[in-house]
Amino acid sequence: MLKLNNLCKVYQTEEVETTALDNINIDIEKGEFVAIMGPSGCGKSTLLNIIGMLDSPTSGEYHFLGDEIAHANEKQLANIRKKNIGFIFQSFNLIEELTVFENVELALLYNDVPSKERKERVTRVLDKVGIAHRAKHMPSQLSGGQQQRVAVARALVAEPAMILADEPTGNLDRAQGEEVMDMLKKLNEEGSTIIMVTHSPSHADYARRTINLFDGQVVTEMYRAAE
Amino acid sequence: MFNNYILTALRNLHRHRLFSAINIVGLAIGLASVILIILFIRDEVGHDQWIADSDRIVRVHMSYVPRDGQPFETVRSAGRISEAISNDAPEYVEDAVRLIIGRSNLIRNGQSFSELVFYGDNSFFNVFDFPFLHGDKKTAMADVDNVVISEKIARKYFGRTDVIGETLTFCCLDDKEATVKISAVLKDTPKNTHFNVDIMLVIEPNRFAFAPNMLDTWTSVNVYTYFKLKDASDIAPFQAKIYDWLNERSMFKERMTEGKVTDAFKYKVMSIEDIHLKAIAHSGNMGGIKALGDIKLIYSYSSIALLVLVIACINFMNLSTARSNTRAREVALRKVVGASRSQLATQFISESIFICLTSFVLALAFVELALPFYNDMLGKQLGLDYGNMGFLSMLVGLSVFVGLIGGAYPAFILSNFRPALILKANQSSQQGGSNRIRAYLVVFQFAASICLVICTAIVYSQTNFARNIDLGYNVTGKMILRNIGAGGGNMDSQALKNRLLSLPAVTNVTYSSEVPSDDNNNNTGFKRLSAGGVDGAMNEQSILNYHSVDFDFMETYNIKTLKGRAFSEEFPSDTANPPENEDEIGTGAIMLNESATKKMGFGSPEEAIGQMVRASIFRAGDADMTIIGVIPDIYFRSIKFGIRPSVYFRRTDRFRNATIKFTTNDTAALIEQVEQVWNEVAPMVPYRYEFVNELIDAQYASEEARFNLFIVFSILAVIVACLGLYGLASFTAEQRTKEIGIRKVLGASVSDIIKLLIWQFSKPVLFSNIIAWPAAYFLMKDYLNTFQYRIDLSLAYFILASILALIIAWITVTWHAAKVARAKPINALRYE
Ligand SMILES: Nc1ncnc2c1ncn2[C@@H]1O[C@H](COP(=O)(O)OP(=O)(O)OP(=O)(O)O)[C@@H](O)[C@H]1O
Ligand SMILES: [Mg+2]
């Protein structure tokens, strides 16, 4: 699915240069469930963002579905992104001014899905994450767990090949966190590639492979045997 | 505490530099506009108020509305009215004075200078108690041969002011050279008055022997009549008494065949304090002594200036409330640590007053920079008088007021935030209500701007249209010689004409009493001598304007004859002749313009040809004259005055101007050649020339200046509105970064985002048309109705103005939108 070769990311600020990612080499196959772990500031989010094409690497190669895209421009990236990748964030990132339904619909809107089909798909996916009864509510009227379910629905609705989740359970309590993890697991079983950043070892256990980062470098990769 | 506020204010100004700059500059532009307009209005409204007892001095204005015809209105009155009304209403009248104004040549050291000369009854200084530099009001006009001059004239001719006893020689008063003795010197009077007296002579009937209908007349309106009343409260009863006199005791009563005199004929009283701004309504199409002001102009300038200020205030409110969201956390925390709502409100209001005062100082600088151009445009000498504390503190008060208004709403919004709401994670601090109000205010700003743009375009088109309308005669290649006949009997006009015609570049030379663009106050009654014969009934005569023109006048100006023929040397009877004896009647021929044929009741121009008309145009008595020709309605003066029904006859003693039609481009040489001829034929008379096309252009100069000012204020309004939009757009873009980031993560392209933001700001601009169009429509319909010939109120103006506004809004917003849209989405989401 994707392949990173000698990937580096250096942040240049006024005083200091931060090497957030240092020579990363990772291969991820289609249908994998990968967890990324590591202490705060080790570069997890940076890595996920680059994989998600929200940011570009400073050097190195990034092959996505066979194409080298490390130096593609924002427009090309936007195009690949909207067809293939769904995002889930720790802080949900729902648009406050739009209803639950509209938030989910947005992903289809930018993929030029006709209105009738949009409606069907949004309804179906809201049903799937169990939030259909709140479709007309505004995000601010939902609990954190409910908001994250909406975010999951939004990530799913365009049926992307790959879902990226940056600490999806970070703002949730234990029960809510389990719920979201169960959802991700189910998605993976249905064929989605999932890459997830997490601080929680128990949540990382849902994944088939765990990548440990330290100071921008991959320190260990650990496979879990199939259950 | 207050220090603390100021410190916070300064820190905030600095932190939000863009908003501060937009606020301060926008408000400064608004305040500067208002200050400039206030200076203008103060000057206009203050006209004549410096005159002693100005509240009880009035002038009477004549209005005559024939039963079926155009009303005839003028601010002048007939020569006998002053005495008659004084005698009839002694309980109100303290004193009265008549004023006649004309040009005369002042001869000094063998040179002669054309000067504006006032003639007044010797009661003049009782009514107008002007301050004297030398002499006093008792002796100033005691003798017929006295002359009172202003400080300015004294300096001009003597180089000093203590000139009592010196003499001045005029040529001519009543066709004779006359030497008069200076009896007093007046202090120069301020410019904001409806007349400035520089040379004042005594009305002496013999001096007007050449103009019989100047003084001893009930109907010819050639003098200005002023009354000083005993009390300011007498104005209304005095007016009533005049009507009563007209209806019951005046000679007009006998002349009326039916109805009351005041149904047709009135003398309206106006306080001199109102003359500058309101006399225009009574002046028919003849204007006043000086150019009159116009109260409508005051209204429209004030509303524009106020709009600019309101638009700036809206920016202020919008940017403050928008910004308030970024300060919401700070406010919430302050509240948590115990700040009361009123303390917070005080803080924000002081902040906004501080901004306003900063703007005010900047505005004063703008005003100082603008004043030279402004004065140039208006032909005034306005200035900021820093010594005038009252005025200055009024302006400061205005700024503080603006600060209070502008600051109150944001202060209310900010201090009203509920901390719990804001501090709760992931809760938008944005209150839907304040967002909506901002949108309404932007709608209002753009409605005002679009309305102004539409009005400006229409006023411009109308002005342009008026300038290019066919005047009915040819204005190019014509030079005017003034001062014809000023040498009394000494000038040989036939010789002058022959000598001029011998110049190679000259094709025609013709004489006339006035030339195009000249005002004239020659109006008298013309009676048709139809089968019924003559009777004295007032309402059977038409008051018409008349001009004296030479044989080839029509030909020189390329005025075609509609019916009949023009004056011609072949017909000796074409020249008007006075009666030779008391009981005889003079003779002559007249030409009419089309309006005059209608006013006299002819069904068509043909019908008029060959008819006889009687008028009292000579001192010696009436003349019966044959209508020989009809010309089209030509615009003798600016088209804003419309067409006057006019009569033309050939009375050689009334010729005051020569028109030279020429075919050369070398006007400098022509001016020299003509001057040589002039100096040989009339060496004692000043050589004064003008060109007809320049005279015509000059008539529109003041309108163009007013119009330019209108444009300037409109542009300012649009600029200030755009400043606000720019600030708001950049703020919104900032505020929406997170949302934009999310949208991009979901696949929105750069153009999707730009469209999103542009649409957000297009909506209010589009909505504003709903207000702007009807407002502009009604305003402009009214405006265009004041013109006899006008452009259509086409939809194109409305559409173009709206598109323009939209484009300006887009340009303003796009820059920001593009910047935000192009950024990597992660930048927007990173610090979530
Ligand atoms: N825009 C930026 N400019 C400069 N340095 C940055 C920027 N973004 C991240 N960094 C730095 O890069 C490093 C990696 O950051 P990153 O956000 O990827 O960490 P993380 O592993 O996600 O941490 P956490 O678990 O706290 O979310 C950190 O040292 C961070 O300070
Ligand atoms: Mg992170």
Side-chain angles (χ1 to χ4, degrees):
Chain A
M1 178 113 210
L2 65 87
K3 191 171 162 66
L4 308 177
N5 285 337
N6 302 326
L7 194 107
C8 296
K9 177 73 184 179
V10 180
Y11 287 112
Q12 199 80 47
T13 52
E14 274 157 39
E15 309 97 42
V16 285
E17 211 174 69
T18 316
T19 306
L21 295 177
D22 186 7
N23 250 325
I24 304 279
N25 292 290
I26 297 177
D27 235 324
I28 293 175
E29 299 298 325
K30 199 168 184 319
E32 273 198 82
F33 191 153
V34 181
I36 300 175
M37 291 189 72
S40 186
C42 70
K44 305 182 293 293
S45 297
T46 306
L47 177 62
L48 201 70
N49 289 336
I50 288 174
I51 291 175
M53 300 169 213
L54 298 180
D55 208 350
S56 309
T58 314
S59 67
E61 291 169 18
Y62 178 10
H63 297 276
F64 186 79
L65 293 175
D67 297 323
E68 158 57 40
I69 55 158
H71 304 287
N73 66 24
E74 172 57 28
K75 196 174 167 185
Q76 294 165 321
L77 293 178
N79 237 329
I80 304 172
R81 194 162 63 217
K82 73 178 173 188
K83 288 205 196 86
N84 298 295
I85 305 174
F87 289 90
I88 304 167
F89 300 95
Q90 174 179 6
S91 54
F92 326 138
N93 277 339
L94 299 177
I95 295 175
E96 302 287 338
E97 289 80 10
L98 302 180
T99 62
V100 163
F101 187 94
E102 288 161 345
N103 261 291
V104 176
E105 190 186 21
L106 212 53
L108 295 178
L109 218 54
Y110 291 122
N111 276 302
D112 298 321
V113 177
S115 146
K116 195 159 165 269
E117 192 188 332
R118 277 203 312 266
K119 216 168 157 248
E120 287 166 11
R121 281 170 69 174
V122 173
T123 316
R124 203 169 345 117
V125 78
L126 285 179
D127 224 24
K128 190 167 174 182
V129 301
I131 201 85
H133 59 294
R134 297 292 201 130
K136 291 219 167 60
H137 288 164
M138 302 308 272
S140 56
Q141 296 167 316
L142 303 181
S143 73
Q146 287 168 325
Q147 288 194 48
Q148 193 61 303
R149 276 196 253 172
V150 177
V152 172
R154 190 178 60 184
L156 292 183
V157 72
E159 290 163 8
M162 180 162 86
I163 290 173
L164 304 182
D166 194 347
E167 298 184 42
T169 54
N171 278 341
L172 302 179
D173 64 27
R174 199 184 161 74
Q176 288 170 334
E178 297 289 322
E179 260 176 54
V180 169
M181 287 317 298
D182 283 334
M183 244 173 337
L184 288 179
K185 188 173 179 215
K186 212 161 130 233
L187 285 172
N188 179 244
E189 281 160 5
E190 286 165 15
S192 296
T193 311
I194 294 178
I195 305 173
M196 172 184 75
V197 169
T198 183
H199 281 290
S200 150
S202 68
H203 290 166
D205 282 347
Y206 284 80
R208 200 60 69 68
R209 165 153 67 131
T210 303
I211 299 174
N212 280 298
L213 289 187
F214 188 79
D215 260 0
Q217 292 181 324
V218 179
V219 283
T220 53
E221 279 192 66
M222 193 183 82
Y223 288 84
R224 235 164 31 84
E227 289 150 40
Chain B
M1 196 63 177
F2 205 75
N3 272 349
N4 186 331
Y5 290 158
I6 289 190
L7 215 70
T8 329
L10 276 175
R11 241 178 244 154
N12 257 305
L13 284 183
H14 184 73
R15 200 165 52 207
H16 304 278
R17 277 179 292 266
L18 176 68
F19 302 127
S20 309
I22 289 174
N23 267 339
I24 291 175
V25 173
L27 260 186
I29 293 176
L31 284 171
S33 307
V34 169
I35 293 172
L36 285 172
I37 295 292
I38 288 177
L39 287 175
F40 170 75
I41 293 176
R42 243 167 45 113
D43 183 74
E44 286 283 288
V45 173
H47 266 65
D48 295 309
Q49 282 175 10
W50 54 269
I51 295 175
D53 304 322
S54 60
D55 59 335
R56 55 188 181 102
I57 305 175
V58 298
R59 189 168 76 183
V60 290
H61 299 155
M62 196 272 259
S63 119
Y64 173 46
V65 188
R67 224 174 306 142
D68 45 354
Q70 288 288 308
F72 175 87
E73 295 197 297
T74 173
V75 295
R76 301 182 177 91
S77 35
R80 297 186 64 173
I81 292 297
S82 158
E83 191 190 353
I85 293 181
S86 298
N87 288 339
D88 194 75
E91 67 273 38
Y92 300 125
V93 177
E94 183 177 301
D95 217 330
V97 65
R98 294 171 300 176
L99 211 54
I100 296 169
I101 296 151
R103 280 205 163 265
S104 191
N105 296 311
L106 206 159
I107 314 235
R108 185 82 191 153
N109 302 331
Q111 275 189 298
S112 85
F113 305 87
S114 179
E115 294 285 359
L116 198 65
V117 173
F118 286 66
Y119 302 85
D121 290 315
N122 53 19
S123 52
F124 182 83
F125 291 108
N126 294 336
V127 175
F128 293 98
D129 200 355
F130 291 150
F132 285 87
L133 200 63
H134 301 288
D136 59 65
K137 69 176 179 185
K138 278 192 208 73
T139 54
M141 295 175 81
D143 196 87
V144 195
D145 288 330
N146 283 355
V147 63
V148 178
I149 60 173
S150 68
E151 208 178 326
K152 189 175 91 188
I153 292 288
R155 287 228 167 75
K156 177 169 170 190
Y157 291 99
F158 299 96
R160 59 197 166 90
T161 58
D162 53 335
V163 291
I164 291 185
E166 300 277 354
T167 60
L168 287 175
T169 303
F170 289 93
C171 184
C172 298
L173 306 177
D174 189 29
D175 294 350
K176 291 186 289 285
E177 202 172 270
T179 298
V180 288
K181 206 166 84 184
I182 298 170
S183 56
V185 179
L186 286 173
K187 281 191 184 155
D188 283 338
T189 44
K191 276 229 174 306
N192 56 349
T193 172
H194 72 286
F195 67 87
N196 286 99
V197 183
D198 282 323
I199 298 174
M200 184 90 202
L201 291 157
V202 181
I203 290 184
E204 146 60 25
N206 282 330
R207 277 192 180 138
F208 298 94
F210 68 93
N213 45 23
M214 191 70 87
L215 296 171
D216 185 18
T217 176
W218 289 107
T219 50
S220 281
V221 281
N222 296 316
V223 305
Y224 300 88
T225 305
Y226 296 86
F227 294 97
K228 186 177 217 168
L229 304 182
K230 291 188 170 144
D231 195 275
S233 64
D234 286 342
I235 294 181
F238 179 57
Q239 173 74 79
K241 188 80 193 278
I242 290 178
Y243 284 178
D244 191 49
W245 169 73
L246 283 169
N247 286 329
E248 303 302 332
R249 299 178 292 282
S250 73
M251 47 68 64
F252 297 103
K253 190 186 171 196
E254 279 102 72
R255 294 204 188 173
M256 282 298 282
T257 45
E258 58 184 83
K260 285 197 297 186
V261 174
T262 49
D263 291 343
F265 189 84
K266 277 179 196 159
Y267 271 101
K268 296 183 207 160
V269 174
M270 181 175 275
S271 158
I272 59 165
E273 290 182 349
D274 289 340
I275 285 179
H276 179 66
L277 289 176
K278 295 185 182 156
I280 202 160
H282 290 174
S283 68
N285 49 19
M286 293 197 295
I289 302 174
K290 294 209 310 196
L292 288 172
D294 189 347
I295 192 84
K296 282 191 205 146
L297 202 68
I298 303 261
Y299 292 148
S300 50
Y301 280 2
S302 326
S303 8
I304 296 177
L306 219 61
L307 269 185
V308 178
L309 186 65
V310 167
I311 289 174
C313 280
I314 289 180
N315 283 352
F316 189 66
M317 286 162 65
N318 272 353
L319 294 178
S320 313
T321 53
R323 210 188 53 187
S324 69
N325 296 304
T326 64
R327 291 182 74 178
R329 242 166 211 286
E330 169 202 332
V331 172
L333 286 169
R334 275 175 192 268
K335 279 196 165 184
V336 168
V337 300
S340 76
R341 185 168 173 191
S342 67
Q343 274 172 322
L344 285 170
T346 314
Q347 182 192 334
F348 292 124
I349 288 180
S350 339
E351 219 173 286
S352 78
I353 289 176
F354 180 79
I355 289 181
C356 282
L357 289 176
T358 313
S359 302
F360 174 69
V361 174
L362 192 60
L364 288 183
F366 285 169
V367 168
E368 290 293 351
L369 283 176
L371 266 176
F373 305 99
Y374 191 61
N375 279 330
D376 213 40
M377 269 182 176
L378 293 170
K380 287 187 185 287
Q381 283 116 38
L382 306 175
L384 273 174
D385 176 11
Y386 297 100
N388 186 342
M389 285 321 283
F391 181 57
L392 218 57
S393 45
M394 184 193 95
L395 293 181
V396 172
L398 177 77
S399 316
V400 171
F401 179 72
V402 166
L404 280 176
I405 296 284
Y409 176 68
F412 171 78
I413 294 286
L414 278 171
S415 59
N416 201 27
F417 281 147
R418 244 160 283 139
L421 219 65
I422 287 150
L423 295 177
K424 186 173 164 196
N426 266 306
Q427 206 55 256
S428 169
S429 61
Q430 188 63 53
Q431 302 198 331
S434 80
N435 247 346
R436 206 166 325 117
I437 287 171
R438 264 204 298 283
Y440 288 144
L441 291 174
V442 171
V443 167
F444 176 82
Q445 285 182 311
F446 270 81
S449 303
I450 291 173
C451 185
L452 276 176
V453 172
I454 296 174
C455 293
T456 309
I458 290 174
V459 172
Y460 175 77
S461 302
Q462 173 64 31
T463 312
N464 216 28
F465 172 77
R467 287 293 276 119
N468 294 319
I469 210 166
D470 181 14
L471 298 175
Y473 55 89
N474 195 309
V475 298
T476 54
K478 297 198 176 53
M479 180 179 172
I480 303 294
L481 293 182
R482 301 293 195 182
N483 294 345
I484 301 294
N490 331 337
M491 188 188 276
D492 185 344
S493 56
Q494 196 54 46
L496 179 67
K497 180 169 178 172
N498 291 340
R499 293 285 313 272
L500 288 173
L501 279 171
S502 70
L503 295 174
V506 173
T507 59
N508 287 54
V509 176
T510 188
Y511 290 110
S512 55
S513 50
E514 292 85 24
V515 293
S517 88
D518 284 356
D519 187 11
N520 106 356
N521 43 15
N522 306 325
N523 301 287
T524 197
F526 289 80
K527 275 173 237 162
R528 274 174 69 176
L529 301 181
S530 47
V534 192
D535 69 35
M538 275 271 312
N539 35 14
E540 273 195 19
Q541 64 171 11
S542 319
I543 293 186
L544 302 177
N545 179 239
Y546 61 84
H547 301 273
S548 279
V549 299
D550 203 359
F551 292 124
D552 34 13
F553 184 86
M554 303 298 171
E555 187 197 323
T556 306
Y557 278 97
N558 298 52
I559 300 168
K560 52 187 190 297
T561 311
L562 276 183
K563 277 288 175 274
R565 59 178 182 83
F567 297 113
S568 162
E569 264 170 293
E570 287 167 39
F571 298 86
S573 59
D574 279 3
T575 301
N577 288 307
E580 274 161 18
N581 296 307
E582 278 271 318
D583 44 351
E584 280 177 39
I585 285 198
T587 60
I590 60 173
M591 292 179 75
L592 303 176
N593 67 1
E594 257 189 296
S595 296
T597 62
K598 283 181 200 133
K599 185 143 185 181
M600 294 186 94
F602 294 111
S604 67
E606 284 103 321
E607 226 175 85
I609 304 294
Q611 300 287 320
M612 297 290 284
V613 162
R614 174 171 296 178
S616 161
I617 58 168
F618 293 107
R619 168 168 28 163
D622 290 352
D624 287 352
M625 296 175 288
T626 316
I627 301 173
I628 59 162
V630 177
I631 59 163
D633 285 339
I634 58 168
Y635 287 99
F636 209 76
R637 298 182 66 202
S638 162
I639 81 152
K640 76 173 169 225
F641 295 121
I643 300 281
R644 278 198 254 183
S646 301
V647 176
Y648 306 86
F649 47 74
R650 182 171 186 271
R651 213 188 124 178
T652 53
D653 60 327
R654 300 301 294 272
F655 292 161
R656 294 288 175 270
N657 301 280
T659 303
I660 301 169
K661 184 175 173 183
F662 59 87
T663 53
T664 178
N665 287 326
D666 188 0
T667 47
L670 181 74
I671 291 168
E672 229 166 85
Q673 290 160 9
V674 174
E675 181 167 18
Q676 256 175 24
V677 172
W678 180 271
N679 286 339
E680 283 163 32
V681 180
M684 272 313 290
V685 184
Y687 174 56
R688 203 173 135 225
Y689 67 87
E690 276 167 306
F691 290 94
V692 174
N693 54 344
E694 290 173 7
L695 287 174
I696 299 283
D697 288 345
Q699 297 185 101
Y700 296 95
S702 76
E703 268 143 75
E704 268 161 25
R706 288 168 179 193
F707 171 67
N708 286 340
L709 205 63
F710 193 78
I711 289 192
V712 168
F713 282 118
S714 301
I715 291 177
L716 285 182
V718 174
I719 288 178
V720 176
C722 283
L723 268 181
L725 199 66
Y726 179 83
L728 212 53
S730 73
F731 175 81
T732 307
E734 190 179 292
Q735 190 192 12
R736 290 180 76 166
T737 0
K738 178 186 160 198
E739 178 199 337
I740 290 166
I742 298 172
R743 285 177 187 268
K744 289 193 74 175
V745 165
L746 294 175
S749 65
V750 173
S751 64
D752 284 329
I753 299 296
I754 294 180
K755 269 187 248 160
L756 181 80
L757 285 176
I758 284 186
W759 176 234
Q760 182 188 3
F761 285 96
S762 301
K763 264 189 298 188
V765 175
L766 287 175
F767 264 124
S768 59
N769 287 322
I770 298 174
I771 306 173
W773 287 27
Y777 176 80
F778 287 114
L779 283 174
M780 285 298 103
K781 215 175 136 180
D782 248 27
Y783 167 76
L784 288 177
N785 274 339
T786 61
F787 295 90
Q788 206 171 355
Y789 294 91
R790 51 185 179 249
I791 53 166
D792 291 330
L793 200 52
S794 139
L795 195 63
Y797 296 109
F798 294 79
I799 294 174
L800 285 177
S802 307
I803 291 178
L804 184 72
L806 210 53
I807 289 176
I808 292 177
W810 282 350
I811 292 174
T812 312
V813 173
T814 303
W815 192 78
H816 258 286
K819 202 174 90 177
V820 172
R822 245 185 244 113
K824 283 193 192 311
I826 191 59
N827 295 336
L829 299 174
R830 170 155 292 135
Y831 295 109
E832 280 304 319

